[in-house]
Amino acid sequence: MRHVIIGAGGAGTAAAETISANSEDEVIVINREKVLPPYSPAALPYYIEGTVNRNELFIWNWHFIRSSGIEYLMGEGGREG
């Protein structure tokens, strides 16, 4: 079975991790962001404040994305014009 998850926020990434850990199903996550791995918008104020560093903003890192078996599509699904 193929699971397509729209959005790479907390809920989307948690769903993708849960599905991929518990089955052999194909998991695709589509994120509108074009240049970053999934990050937590809720952590942005803490980053600006200096409480967390840049790496702590990200829900996934590139190593996880490459090794998880989850297909991650960036810059997809946004409106143009």
Side-chain angles (χ1 to χ4, degrees):
M1 177 178 274
R2 177 183 295 160
H3 303 270
V4 178
I5 298 169
I6 309 298
T13 55
E17 289 176 28
T18 300
I19 294 165
S20 69
N22 295 306
S23 73
E24 296 297 318
D25 292 355
E26 180 181 5
V27 179
I28 302 167
V29 175
I30 300 173
N31 188 13
R32 187 184 307 192
E33 298 285 339
K34 294 182 181 179
V35 294
L36 299 172
Y39 67 94
S40 172
L44 286 174
Y46 302 103
Y47 172 67
I48 293 167
E49 179 182 70
T51 307
V52 300
N53 67 45
R54 186 175 189 276
N55 289 334
E56 292 174 301
L57 288 175
F58 300 108
I59 298 170
W60 291 343
N61 61 38
W62 294 117
H63 173 74
F64 174 80
I65 293 168
R66 285 189 291 275
S67 65
S68 67
I70 298 169
E71 185 176 350
Y72 179 62
L73 303 176
M74 297 182 302
E76 302 290 332
R79 289 188 196 191
E80 295 297 325

